[in-house]
């Protein structure tokens, strides 16, 4: 079963086609991670799944209905989206920005409630931004701002959560915290999550379902243990590598070839560019 699907989806910016007739079904109740090289269409696909981009062809379907034809508020109650470069209103505080995640649940007869307060408080606690509640978002570091935006998406409390490179600007410790948070939301709350990531090893570690894209098309999809191979890494990223089991999780771990060492490199050493070095 899949509540969110794409059928023959074509996406373009003016006259430049970025995604070509893509078919994709997001598995319900799973963490799906989309990976691929720069400019392969992964973030563009996520924008279309959240109705930030209208298809040039085909359609995105939510519960069998075309997303483009559904009321905005209905979509916002089902799909939470954190885009790659969100922009906060000038001088807004952290608490006010996170509270905006509750707007889809508001109506003229139903204003701020205890349920809204609980959702905002929990979202801020989970992302470790509660201590920043009264600070202006403008004053925060890049990593702090990213966690605040994630808190806003969490406060929306949708069944489907789309995150476009949520670990950007974060150090390795906070990257792991965010991805662990994604895992907890999925495992404990049953949320379906779609994440775009640059780091293939993080994707393989946290994904239930991995989608590898190249040049606007899906090259492979499935459990990371089944699709992450040395051949896939070469085909998608142009990188020679060795794939070994992660010593902690058992998930595939991609180890790039030996770094370039100039004329002293041994014959046949594999470089990250995917070529063999020649002994000088």
């Amino acid at each position: 079963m899949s509540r969110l699907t794409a059928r023959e989806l074509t996406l373009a910016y003016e006259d430049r086609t970025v995604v070509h007739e893509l078919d994709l079904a997001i598995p319900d109740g799973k963490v799906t991670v989309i990976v691929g090289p720069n400019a392969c269409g992964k973030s563009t696909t996520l924008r279309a799944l959240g109705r930030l981009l209208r298809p040039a062809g085909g359609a995105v379907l939510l519960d069998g209905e075309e997303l483009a034809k559904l009321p905005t508020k209905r979509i916002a109650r089902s799909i939470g989206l954190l885009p790659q470069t969100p922009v906060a209103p000038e001088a807004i505080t952290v608490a006010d920005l996170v509270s905006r995640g509750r707007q889809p649940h508001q109506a003229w007869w139903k204003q701020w409630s205890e349920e809204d307060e609980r959702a905002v408080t929990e979202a801020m606690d989970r992302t470790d931004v509660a201590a920043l509640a009264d600070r202006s978002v403008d004053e925060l570091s890049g990593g702090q701002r990213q966690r605040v935006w994630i808190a806003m998406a969490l406060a929306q409390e949708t069944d489907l959560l789309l995150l476009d490179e949520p670990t950007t600007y974060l150090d390795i410790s906070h990257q792991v915290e965010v991805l662990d948070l994604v895992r907890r939301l999925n495992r404990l709350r049953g949320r379906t999550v779609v994440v775009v990531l640059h780091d293939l090893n993080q994707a393989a570690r946290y994904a239930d379902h991995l989608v590898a894209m190249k040049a606007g098309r899906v090259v492979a999809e499935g459990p990371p243990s089944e699709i992450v191979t040395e051949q896939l890494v070469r085909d998608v990223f142009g990188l020679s590598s060795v794939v070994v089991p992660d010593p902690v999780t058992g998930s595939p771990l991609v180890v790039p070839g030996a770094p370039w060492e100039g004329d002293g490199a041994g014959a046949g050493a594999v470089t990250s560019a995917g070529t063999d070095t020649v002994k000088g």
Side-chain angles (χ1 to χ4, degrees):
M1 260 316 271
S2 178
R3 295 187 60 198
L4 188 62
T5 59
R7 292 184 184 171
E8 298 183 350
L9 183 66
T10 297
L11 303 171
Y13 294 107
E14 297 180 350
D15 60 348
R16 182 172 65 92
T17 300
V18 179
V19 172
H20 309 264
E21 298 183 347
L22 181 143
D23 289 317
L24 184 64
I26 303 301
D28 290 344
K30 304 290 185 182
V31 175
T32 294
V33 180
I34 304 175
V35 297
N38 290 340
C40 72
K42 54 187 183 294
S43 290
T44 300
T45 298
L46 197 79
R47 285 169 55 82
L49 293 176
R51 209 180 74 167
L52 289 185
L53 183 65
R54 182 178 289 272
V60 176
L61 306 178
L62 176 64
D63 297 327
E65 299 181 72
E66 281 194 40
L67 208 62
K69 297 178 180 179
L70 295 176
T72 298
K73 207 156 194 177
R74 177 178 166 188
I75 295 170
R77 288 172 181 158
S78 298
I79 301 174
L81 171 64
L82 175 63
Q84 193 174 100
T85 53
V87 178
E90 188 175 354
I92 192 171
T93 67
V94 168
D96 286 343
L97 183 61
V98 177
S99 296
R100 292 194 174 200
R102 300 302 297 168
Q103 286 183 348
H105 303 277
Q106 305 299 308
W108 66 267
W109 68 86
K110 180 181 179 292
Q111 298 303 310
W112 196 257
S113 66
E114 290 183 5
E115 181 68 11
D116 295 323
E117 190 68 33
R118 178 203 57 76
V120 169
T121 299
E122 285 189 6
M124 293 176 67
D125 286 342
R126 288 198 189 107
T127 51
D128 194 26
V129 298
L132 306 174
D134 298 325
R135 295 269 302 277
S136 169
V137 175
D138 296 336
E139 301 172 359
L140 304 180
S141 69
Q144 288 172 325
R145 281 197 299 271
Q146 189 74 340
R147 284 186 281 137
V148 171
W149 282 110
I150 293 171
M152 190 189 78
L154 296 184
Q156 199 171 331
E157 291 195 324
T158 55
D159 293 331
L160 292 153
L161 184 61
L162 314 181
L163 304 173
D164 192 357
E165 297 186 28
T167 56
T168 301
Y169 305 121
L170 301 182
D171 58 40
I172 185 63
S173 175
H174 283 109
Q175 288 178 27
V176 171
E177 283 183 17
V178 166
L179 294 172
D180 279 344
L181 171 61
V182 167
R183 175 69 66 87
R184 289 199 302 274
L185 287 169
N186 169 256
R187 298 296 194 264
L188 302 179
R189 305 249 170 169
R191 295 201 191 174
T192 299
V193 187
V194 186
V195 190
V196 169
L197 290 178
H198 266 301
D199 190 312
L200 182 55
N201 285 330
Q202 287 184 343
R205 171 176 276 217
Y206 285 95
D208 299 307
H209 187 77
L210 191 67
V211 178
M213 292 185 65
K214 182 179 180 182
R217 293 180 168 87
V218 172
V219 175
E221 62 176 308
S225 60
E226 295 180 9
I227 71 166
V228 178
T229 63
E230 293 164 15
Q231 186 63 49
L232 179 84
V233 176
R234 185 187 293 273
D235 291 345
V236 173
F237 294 95
L239 178 71
S240 290
S241 65
V242 177
V243 177
V244 298
D246 185 307
V248 176
T249 65
S251 59
L253 181 66
V254 178
V255 181
W260 182 80
E261 296 179 2
D263 291 341
V270 181
T271 70
S272 60
T275 59
D276 290 343
T277 63
V278 179
K279 195 171 184 177

